[in-house]
Amino acid sequence: MVEPPIIALEHIFFSYTEQTPLFADICFAFNRDDKIGFFGPNGKGKTTLFRLIVGLIKPEKGQVLFRGVPVHTENQWRELRCAVGFVLQNADDQLFCPTVLDDVAFGPLNLGLAPDEAKKRALETLKTLGLEGLENRLTHTLSGGEKKLVSLASVMSMRPDALLLDEPTNGLDPEAKARLVAILKNLPTARITISHDWDFLMEISHSFMTINNGKLIDVDSDFFMRPPHIY
Amino acid sequence: MCDTPFLREVPFLCRIDPRFRIVVATAYAIALAAIQNLPAACLGVVFAFALLLLARPNPGATCKRLAIINIFIVFLWITVPLTMGGDSIAALGPFHVSRAGIFLALLVALKCNAIAFVFIALVAPITISVLAHSLERLRFPAKLVFLLLFAYRYIYVIEEEWKRLYTAAKLRGFRPKTNVRTYGVLANMLGMVFVHSFERSARVYEAMQLRGFCGKFRSIALFQSRLRDFVFTGAAAAALGSIILLDIFPGKFHG
Amino acid sequence: MHISEGVLAPAVLGGEAVLAAVGIAVGLRRLDYSRLMTVAILSAAFFVGSLVHVPVGPGSAHLILNGFLGIILGWAAFPAIFVALLLQGVLFQFGGITVLGVNTFNMAFPAVACCFIFRPLLSRGGNSMRIGAFCCGALSVAGAGFLTAAALAVSNGGFTRSAQMLFLAHIPVMAIEGMITMFAAAFIARVKPEVFLFSR
C-alpha cells in the first residue's frame, strides 16, 4: 500500500484581503523523503503557506490532510503540529523559556513525557546538534547563531516527521550558517525550507518550488544556473 | 539596565535547596517586619550580616543595592526625627530633634538592612527560572509562575528594542529636555514598544501551540530535599526564635 | 515610590497583602493562557518602561506608568504589576518581599480604578480619549502616592509628616505621567487600536 503524504493541501483558496487572493486552488503533497527548497519574493505567501499547513490560519476553501486524513478538530491540529515541526523566522519568538534546557524540553513535556524523560530527550537533542554545554544558558544571552540552532533543537526534540524552516539563515554569520548546513545535510527528516539564500537552498534541498500568481510552481535545479530573470 | 551581578558560584549557601532558602528568607522578613524593639533589631542585623558574609556576594553589586534600598531610609532619617513629637534631645535651628524620632528611624534602618542582607544572601543569587520553579513547588498559583517566567524572558528583548529606538532617535539629533516635545517623543517610543510587545505575545503564543501546548504548563525542574537543607532551616529557625524572644522580652537580657 | 522593607506596621503589610491577593485573583480569573502570554509580555514592557529616565528640571525621574498599564489591561494590571515588582525586587531590590503586597496594591488599585472611571471618556476616541488618558495617568500616580503616604502614616504616627512630604513629591510627576500616558495612548489608538480591546 502506498503511504499517504505527510501533508496534503487540496484546492486551497486563501486571501488576506478580498481584492488580492494569495492562493487560488492550490494542491500540494509533501512526502517522507522530500527536501524542498521554497523561494520567491517577499510578501507572496511563503510563510502564509506554512501557517496554513499547521493550521494557524484556516483557508476559505479546501482542506489540509495529515497522513491522508482531513484535519478539522483542534486535537487533530495539535497532532499535526507535533509531527510537523515549524521553525519560526524569529528565534526570539520561539525561544520563550528562560533557559535553553527548559525550552528544548517544552515540546517533549507537552507530548506527555515525564519530566526526567523530557530532560533526557532535551539533552540528547542538544548533543545531536552539537550544542552540549548550552543547556543551562539563559536564552537571552545566546548569540544569533546559537539561538537559531537552539530553536531548531526545541522543535527537533519532539522528533517530528517533517520540518518547516522559515528563513533559517537570516542574520547568521558564515560560521553559524556552515554549522546549520552541516546539521541539515545529516538530517534525514523531510523538510520544506524557505530562503532567499540560493547557495544554502541548493546545498540542503533536492527539489524546489516557488509561488507565482497564487500558484505553486515546481522548479528544477537547473533554474539556479540561469540568471534570475523572472524576478 | 538589567543585569544579574549576584550569580557567582558560592560553595555553601548555593547548595541549599532554593525552596528552603526562599522560605527562610520570607520567614525572616516577616518576623523582622514585626519587631518593635531595638535590641531584637540589632540581633537581627547581626545574624543577617553573618549570613551575608557566608554568601560572599559581589561587594560592588551589594553596596550598590544597599545604597538603593537605603535612599528611602535616608529620607526617613532626615524627616522623622525633625517632625515627630515627643521629648527633644537637641535643637537644630527651628526644629527639635525628638528622641522618639531617632529611635524610630534607627529601628527602621536596622530592620530594613537586616532584611536586605538576608535577601541578598539567600534569594538574590537564585536565577529567576529556578525561583519560579521553586515557587511552583511551594504551591504558588501556576498562572503567576507562568507570568513570572515569561515576563522575565522578554525583559531583555524589550530592553534591547527600547535601546534601539532611543539610539535611533539620538542619531537623528533628539536631545531629551524638560519640555512637552520630549515627553511626546518618549511616549511614542513607549507606545511602539507596547505595540510590538502586544504583537510579539501573539506570535509567542502561536509558537507554544506549535509545540503542542494545550493549556497545562509543566516544568522539568526536580527538587530534592537533603539533610543539609533541614539543618540550615533548623539553624535559621533557632536564630529567628532568639530574635523574636528578645523582642518579646527585651528587659530580660539587659546586663 | 517603593517603600522599603521594615518600615510599615505588620497590620498594614498584611492587610494590603490580602487586598493585593484579591486583586490578583480577580485579574487572573478571566485570563486563559493565550491572554496570559500578553499580560506577561506587557508586564515585561511595563518593567522596562519604568526604568526609563524622563528629564524633570535639573534632574530626572523614573516613570511609574501604572495608569497606562491600567488602561490596556484593566484588572489584569494587578498580576502584571505584581510580577513586575517581584522581578524588580529580585533583580534590583526595589521594594522587597514583605512590601510586595503593599506596593502592588498601591500601584495597581488606582490604575484599575481609573481605567473603569474613565472608560466612557476613553471609548469615545479623539480628544475625549486624550483627556481620559491624561486623567488616568495623572490620577493613577496621585492615587499611588496617596496610598503609599497613607500606609506610612497609618503604620506609625511618627511618619505623618514624612508621609505628607512623600505625597507632595508625587505632584510634579503627576502632570508628566499624565502627558506621557496621553501621548502613548494616542499613539496606540492610531497604530494598533485593538490593544485597547484587551481589557474588555
Side-chain angles (χ1 to χ4, degrees):
Chain A
M1 205 182 84
V2 177
E3 203 185 307
I6 300 176
I7 294 285
L9 299 178
E10 283 183 355
H11 304 293
I12 296 279
F13 286 77
F14 181 81
S15 56
Y16 282 118
T17 64
E18 278 173 14
Q19 292 83 12
T20 36
L22 209 51
F23 299 126
D25 200 8
I26 287 213
C27 296
F28 170 66
F30 177 42
N31 295 297
R32 201 150 54 92
D33 296 318
D34 286 343
K35 292 187 176 52
I36 305 178
F38 192 12
F39 64 94
N42 287 335
K44 291 294 180 195
K46 303 192 295 297
T47 303
T48 307
L49 187 75
F50 278 9
R51 289 168 66 87
L52 278 168
I53 290 175
V54 293
L56 288 177
I57 48 182
K58 306 289 196 300
E60 283 139 23
K61 272 195 279 188
Q63 56 183 7
V64 176
L65 290 93
F66 175 48
R67 297 196 179 116
V69 177
V71 184
H72 295 301
T73 67
E74 204 44 46
N75 266 339
Q76 286 175 308
W77 281 117
R78 195 173 159 266
E79 244 189 84
L80 187 161
R81 289 165 190 159
C82 291
V84 177
F86 188 168
V87 180
L88 302 176
Q89 235 189 79
N90 188 332
D92 271 318
D93 293 341
Q94 186 133 39
L95 297 179
F96 43 72
C97 294
T99 66
V100 168
L101 191 61
D102 280 335
D103 225 296
V104 182
F106 181 78
L109 279 174
N110 289 331
L111 287 175
L113 271 68
D116 49 343
E117 281 169 23
K119 189 170 165 183
K120 213 168 116 209
R121 171 86 74 91
L123 290 169
E124 270 166 23
T125 310
L126 286 170
K127 192 149 173 237
T128 313
L129 296 181
L131 298 170
E132 57 274 82
L134 285 186
E135 55 271 4
N136 291 318
R137 290 275 300 274
L138 301 177
T139 40
H140 71 263
T141 61
L142 298 172
S143 71
E146 286 169 335
K147 275 186 186 167
K148 189 49 70 154
L149 291 174
V150 172
S151 69
L152 180 62
S154 72
V155 170
M156 294 298 305
S157 62
M158 299 178 74
R159 310 246 172 97
D161 295 326
L163 285 175
L164 302 175
L165 302 160
D166 196 347
E167 307 269 10
T169 57
N170 254 7
L172 292 189
D173 61 38
E175 194 190 308
K177 200 171 105 175
R179 255 178 105 182
L180 185 63
V181 168
I183 289 171
L184 289 175
K185 272 179 149 162
N186 280 325
L187 214 54
T189 318
R191 57 177 174 261
I192 310 177
T193 312
I194 295 178
S195 184
H196 291 124
D197 187 335
W198 287 347
D199 294 325
F200 170 71
L201 275 186
M202 285 285 285
E203 286 204 74
I204 61 152
S205 312
H206 299 159
S207 54
F208 304 88
M209 70 183 185
T210 184
I211 292 186
N212 203 2
N213 286 332
K215 297 272 191 208
L216 289 175
I217 302 174
D218 278 327
V219 170
D220 65 49
S221 50
D222 288 345
F223 172 78
F224 289 97
M225 306 306 172
R226 297 194 297 267
H229 56 272
I230 296 183
Y231 303 112
Chain B
M1 267 201 264
C2 314
D3 59 15
T4 42
F6 286 95
L7 302 179
R8 290 186 343 171
E9 270 314 310
V10 170
F12 168 63
L13 278 182
C14 269
R15 285 191 276 132
I16 306 286
D17 189 308
R19 294 169 298 163
F20 288 79
R21 282 153 66 188
I22 293 171
V23 168
V24 165
T26 310
Y28 207 88
I30 293 175
L32 266 176
I35 298 265
Q36 298 299 324
N37 294 312
L38 270 179
C42 290
L43 188 60
V45 170
V46 164
F47 279 133
F49 193 66
L51 207 56
L52 186 65
L53 290 177
L54 264 179
R56 290 194 278 128
N58 179 320
T62 309
C63 289
K64 216 171 118 183
R65 265 211 189 189
L66 289 173
I68 294 173
I69 296 165
N70 281 290
I71 292 176
F72 189 75
I73 302 297
V74 166
F75 163 73
L76 289 179
W77 264 108
I78 295 173
T79 55
V80 172
L82 297 179
T83 62
M84 192 171 177
D87 292 342
S88 155
I89 56 172
L92 226 67
F95 297 106
H96 288 273
V97 178
S98 95
R99 178 197 306 276
I102 296 271
F103 171 86
L104 185 59
L106 184 60
L107 183 67
V108 160
L110 287 172
K111 282 162 60 170
C112 174
N113 282 286
I115 298 175
F117 292 162
V118 169
F119 196 79
I120 294 174
L122 292 182
V123 179
I126 304 177
T127 64
I128 302 285
S129 175
V130 171
L131 180 71
H133 292 309
S134 310
L135 290 173
E136 194 209 352
R137 288 307 143 96
L138 291 169
R139 300 270 190 266
F140 228 56
K143 284 182 176 177
L144 277 180
V145 172
F146 182 98
L147 284 181
L148 190 59
L149 277 170
F150 296 109
Y152 173 64
R153 166 66 183 95
Y154 284 100
I155 284 174
Y156 300 94
V157 173
I158 296 174
E159 185 193 0
E160 282 304 314
E161 182 177 354
W162 171 264
K163 282 185 184 160
R164 277 200 302 270
L165 286 175
Y166 196 76
T167 306
K170 289 215 309 216
L171 287 173
R172 287 189 295 177
F174 172 64
R175 271 194 358 237
K177 295 202 182 87
T178 308
N179 57 25
V180 176
R181 182 169 182 269
T182 298
Y183 301 145
V185 170
L186 289 175
N188 276 353
M189 289 179 0
L190 217 52
M192 190 56 123
V193 163
F194 269 75
V195 166
H196 283 169
S197 300
F198 187 83
E199 290 172 339
R200 160 161 269 136
S201 69
R203 296 196 304 269
V204 171
Y205 186 69
E206 277 181 351
M208 291 179 80
Q209 286 183 297
L210 288 174
R211 274 149 64 197
F213 181 72
C214 51
K216 190 152 188 334
F217 182 65
R218 302 168 63 203
S219 85
I220 52 169
L222 288 168
F223 293 98
Q224 254 183 316
S225 324
R226 294 197 166 80
L227 181 64
R228 60 173 170 239
D229 302 323
F230 293 103
V231 168
F232 170 75
T233 309
L240 205 54
S242 56
I243 296 172
I244 295 173
L245 276 175
L246 188 56
D247 190 50
I248 300 175
F249 307 110
K252 288 216 153 183
F253 297 91
H254 273 170
Chain C
M1 167 169 301
H2 298 83
I3 298 194
S4 300
E5 297 260 36
V7 176
L8 298 175
V12 175
L13 291 173
E16 289 213 57
V18 167
L19 288 172
V22 168
I24 294 171
V26 174
L28 287 179
R29 201 185 35 170
R30 290 178 305 148
L31 292 178
D32 59 27
Y33 275 99
S34 68
R35 288 153 60 80
L36 209 56
M37 182 56 81
T38 306
V39 174
I41 297 192
L42 290 183
S43 176
F46 168 75
F47 177 101
V48 171
S50 69
L51 296 173
V52 170
H53 288 279
V54 167
V56 180
S60 65
H62 280 302
L63 291 174
I64 301 177
L65 291 180
N66 55 340
F68 184 52
L69 198 68
I71 296 177
I72 299 176
L73 291 180
W75 274 105
F78 261 98
I81 290 177
F82 173 75
V83 164
L85 288 175
L86 182 56
L87 286 169
Q88 280 182 359
V90 180
L91 295 174
F92 300 139
Q93 200 99 41
F94 292 163
I97 309 174
T98 59
V99 287
L100 208 47
V102 168
N103 286 333
T104 302
F105 184 79
N106 290 350
M107 287 180 71
F109 180 74
V112 176
C114 283
C115 165
F116 284 107
I117 293 171
F118 293 103
R119 178 157 283 172
L121 268 181
L122 290 166
S123 317
R124 260 189 250 147
N127 278 331
S128 306
M129 192 270 294
R130 282 181 169 73
I131 295 172
F134 182 91
C135 292
C136 275
L139 293 176
S140 296
V141 167
F146 175 76
L147 288 172
T148 306
L152 254 187
V154 166
S155 289
N156 193 309
F159 289 140
T160 310
R161 285 272 175 265
S162 312
Q164 288 165 351
M165 278 186 252
L166 196 61
F167 179 67
L168 289 174
H170 278 78
I171 294 186
V173 189
M174 274 170 64
I176 298 173
E177 284 264 349
M179 269 192 279
I180 300 233
T181 305
M182 178 177 74
F183 291 136
F187 178 90
I188 292 183
R190 216 170 54 230
V191 167
K192 196 160 184 109
E194 306 92 275
V195 173
F196 293 131
L197 293 175
F198 184 85
S199 62
R200 303 294 151 100

